[in-house]
Amino acid sequence: MPQVETEDKDLEKGESILVKISQEAELSDYSPVKGCIVIRPYGFAIWELIQSALDKMIKETGHENAYFPLFIPESFLKKEAEHVKGFAPQCAVVTFAGGKELEEKLVVRPTSETIINHMFSKWIKSYRDLPLLINQWANVVRWEMRTRPFLRTTEFLWQEGHTAHATNNEAEAEARKMLQVYKTLSEEVLAIPVIDGIKTENQRFPGAESTYCIEGLMKDGKSLQMGTSHNLGQNFAKVFDIKFQDTNGELQYVYETSWGVSSRLIGAVIMTHHDEKGLKLPPKIAPVQIVIVPIYKEDSERSLVLNKCKELQNGLKDDFRMKLDDREQFTPGFKFNFWEIKGVPIRINIGPRDVSNEVVEIVRRDTNEKLKNIPIEGLKQYLIKLSTEIQANLFRQAKEFQAKNTVNVKDEKEFTEKIKSGGYLTGFWCENLSCEEVLQKKTKATIRCIPFNLPVDQSKEEGYCIVCNKKSKLRVIFAKAY
Ligand SMILES: [Zn+2]
């Protein structure tokens, strides 16, 4: 692939791959507003496929979609002390509108807990109103100085779930359930294996009792937080006075959750599935699952080949998102590169000899393997099977990468040495926040989570904190992160 001009001169290797693929595969482009990107049609089509898969899962678990305003009165954000402390540095604030200074400043939402809780306080009166299960698809703004397409941008797209419950047990179950929905989305749709677990206090969502996350290991050895789910306890309920009458007629505060994933998932797909040729898309989120490229030299071959291509396209288009690349102005070689950069999972090449032999040539993007002389008879069934196999193989490749790049460490010396090559390090931690900070200062690595299950074999052994050597039963996952 040709070199691309990037905005940042000091992009690390992984980030330069991200920028290169985003640009060359026409997923996104830089915008005139620093920190923001334009999502181009091909990138947006991927987002729409992710969105529709997740939206279905969110509705199947009983949630309804709603929409709340982009602007939040500044006073709302200030009500919850931790929340404002966490978000204020990244907030964009509107002070002037309609030709005059505003009486109350309006914050462009960095997240919507405050405005949604304000509404919940009006809607929730009795135990009969619970649980209240709401989701919103929206854009949010968190000011960024450096653009990393899809991974970190000032404005991004996401969904945010907000729920209210009668008991803490229900809220806890909800927060954990939605994390599992995210895990399923990531592994079964995006083909990205993740580690699910709980965040340490340092990494907790501002205003939450506990934060759960899924983390994916990107090909450059960095971890990406791909989704979070929070048990908010009664923190926001008390601030926004959300009370309900329980079955005994007593007034109680509700227990709440919030959870979200964003267009960062596109960044995760890019950083997990690529090679030197470009992107490799899992079939489930590929805007084009199969591309047909006609190959002919003589004019006399042209209609013979093209007619066969059209016939194939017609026979397959009900089962696949198809594209027949019959552009006259480009050579087949150019088209091969074009669709490889874009990560189309399956390419079908057809030349005059294939037509007379009633066969096609198929190229898989996951392995770049050429499959010759595949009979046209039964092709649909063959492709359905191949598509499933490509989806599974991309997951398998990523899982192997994760396993290969996860190591146990015993002490700080080993940690400092091994973190240099990236990947996940697992080690014991004494739960003292200062030990976590020591490692972060020295190596920039953080505790990504206390995993529910570790990807490496481990008995329920005891060990010693890798920093202070205190006895510990808690093995955690460390990594450098985006
Ligand atoms: Zn320690």
Side-chain angles (χ1 to χ4, degrees):
M1 289 190 288
Q3 278 307 102
V4 170
E5 288 269 330
T6 62
E7 269 192 346
D8 284 300
K9 297 277 179 269
D10 61 341
L11 282 176
E12 289 177 44
K13 196 169 156 252
E15 289 178 26
S16 65
I17 288 166
L18 175 75
V19 169
K20 203 172 152 101
I21 290 178
S22 301
Q23 291 277 327
E24 290 182 2
E26 299 178 321
L27 302 174
S28 70
D29 205 347
Y30 287 107
S31 90
V33 182
K34 209 170 157 60
C36 297
I37 56 166
V38 174
I39 304 178
R40 299 184 67 174
Y42 192 65
F44 200 76
I46 296 174
W47 176 241
E48 285 179 318
L49 288 162
I50 296 174
Q51 190 183 30
S52 88
L54 179 57
D55 194 62
K56 192 163 165 263
M57 294 160 91
I58 288 173
K59 285 172 180 158
E60 278 169 1
T61 41
H63 307 84
E64 290 179 304
N65 285 339
Y67 189 79
F68 298 84
L70 172 69
F71 302 114
I72 298 174
E74 197 185 34
S75 58
F76 280 29
L77 216 68
K78 286 183 170 162
K79 281 186 180 178
E80 216 286 338
E82 283 298 312
H83 196 66
V84 69
K85 205 173 98 199
F87 283 107
Q90 286 184 297
C91 281
V93 183
V94 181
T95 59
F96 193 90
K100 57 176 197 222
E101 279 304 313
L102 293 181
E103 264 173 46
E104 171 160 25
K105 292 175 189 167
L106 297 173
V107 175
V108 181
R109 63 180 164 219
T111 179
S112 306
E113 274 74 9
T114 55
I115 195 155
I116 291 179
N117 276 275
H118 173 81
M119 299 313 298
F120 276 14
S121 70
K122 291 170 103 176
W123 297 342
I124 297 169
K125 297 292 171 217
S126 132
Y127 67 92
R128 293 182 199 90
D129 302 321
L130 297 173
L132 184 54
L133 308 172
I134 299 280
N135 177 60
Q136 155 165 267
W137 287 98
N139 57 344
V140 285
V141 166
R142 296 177 189 174
W143 217 254
E144 289 288 344
M145 301 315 284
R146 250 174 93 200
T147 319
R148 280 171 279 188
F150 299 111
L151 292 190
R152 234 171 236 289
T153 49
T154 288
E155 181 188 359
F156 57 88
L157 306 177
W158 81 344
Q159 61 69 220
E160 47 182 319
H162 296 271
T163 68
H165 307 263
T167 67
N168 188 42
N169 280 351
E170 278 180 48
E172 180 63 19
E174 166 80 7
R176 284 174 179 256
K177 176 164 78 184
M178 295 322 287
L179 190 79
Q180 291 314 301
V181 165
Y182 291 158
K183 187 176 180 181
T184 303
L185 174 79
S186 179
E187 300 200 331
E188 291 177 14
V189 180
L190 311 181
I192 303 176
V194 291
I195 293 177
D196 49 342
I198 183 165
K199 286 281 186 199
T200 64
E201 202 184 319
N202 274 342
Q203 308 268 338
R204 197 179 287 159
F205 179 77
E209 297 272 298
S210 50
T211 288
Y212 301 102
C213 65
I214 52 168
E215 294 274 328
L217 184 61
M218 304 295 104
K219 258 193 177 159
D220 62 351
K222 281 190 188 166
S223 185
L224 183 72
Q225 180 179 296
M226 291 171 59
T228 51
S229 179
H230 319 288
N231 181 346
L232 301 173
Q234 293 179 315
N235 288 345
F236 286 90
K238 283 178 181 161
V239 168
F240 286 89
D241 200 31
I242 313 174
K243 280 189 210 138
F244 71 100
Q245 202 166 43
D246 68 13
T247 43
N248 302 321
E250 309 239 348
L251 279 179
Q252 308 276 1
Y253 287 113
V254 295
Y255 294 84
E256 293 181 291
T257 77
S258 67
W259 29 274
V261 296
S262 72
S263 41
R264 168 175 264 206
L265 293 180
I266 300 173
V269 169
I270 299 171
M271 292 304 290
T272 306
H273 306 303
H274 66 261
D275 62 10
E276 64 289 345
K277 290 182 175 180
L279 189 60
K280 294 180 179 186
L281 283 176
K284 285 187 185 172
I285 53 157
V288 178
Q289 294 169 308
I290 300 176
V291 62
I292 304 177
V293 179
I295 302 167
Y296 52 85
K297 289 197 184 87
E298 318 288 322
D299 236 17
S300 59
E301 297 163 346
R302 187 178 170 274
S303 64
L304 175 82
V305 171
L306 274 182
N307 284 343
K308 196 64 187 179
C309 289
K310 280 176 195 156
E311 191 188 307
L312 279 184
Q313 184 186 28
N314 281 331
L316 297 171
K317 69 177 183 340
D318 291 341
D319 295 271
F320 296 97
R321 293 183 285 275
M322 303 279 304
K323 183 98 184 168
L324 167 57
D325 191 351
D326 55 1
R327 294 176 293 175
E328 299 277 353
Q329 68 273 38
F330 297 112
T331 62
F334 175 92
K335 291 174 186 176
F336 296 168
N337 287 336
F338 182 86
W339 296 109
E340 274 167 0
I341 292 168
K342 285 180 175 282
V344 171
I346 298 171
R347 189 176 78 234
I348 300 178
N349 301 333
I350 306 179
R353 199 180 303 163
D354 297 319
V355 177
S356 50
N357 292 340
E358 283 286 304
V359 295
V360 295
E361 181 180 88
I362 290 175
V363 185
R364 308 170 52 150
R365 182 66 184 95
D366 61 330
T367 57
N368 294 315
E369 194 182 348
K370 246 183 210 168
L371 309 158
K372 288 179 189 283
N373 299 316
I374 305 299
I376 287 177
E377 204 189 319
L379 187 62
K380 187 162 96 179
Q381 286 313 312
Y382 180 91
L383 290 168
I384 289 172
K385 216 174 132 215
L386 180 62
S387 180
T388 310
E389 195 183 313
I390 292 173
Q391 180 83 29
N393 188 44
L394 285 172
F395 179 77
R396 199 159 51 230
Q397 285 176 358
K399 187 86 184 168
E400 278 167 18
F401 177 84
Q402 185 201 55
K404 223 170 86 188
N405 291 284
T406 304
V407 291
N408 292 324
V409 290
K410 288 187 300 292
D411 52 34
E412 207 181 319
K413 187 165 167 277
E414 203 184 354
F415 184 93
T416 318
E417 197 46 45
K418 293 206 166 141
I419 197 69
K420 283 180 191 156
S421 44
Y424 284 139
L425 304 188
T426 76
F428 286 97
W429 173 59
C430 65
E431 296 186 63
N432 194 332
L433 294 182
S434 66
C435 285
E436 184 182 6
E437 282 159 7
V438 164
L439 288 176
Q440 188 171 3
K441 275 204 187 105
K442 282 188 187 164
T443 64
K444 286 188 183 160
T446 46
I447 297 179
R448 299 319 301 156
C449 68
I450 304 158
F452 296 142
N453 299 294
L454 278 167
V456 288
D457 255 357
Q458 67 139 8
S459 50
K460 286 205 170 99
E461 89 268 67
E462 265 189 353
Y464 299 91
C465 173
I466 60 172
V467 180
C468 70
N469 214 27
K470 209 183 272 171
K471 225 177 196 182
S472 155
K473 285 192 170 181
L474 206 60
R475 199 185 265 278
V476 299
I477 297 254
F478 300 90
K480 289 186 184 176
Y482 273 96

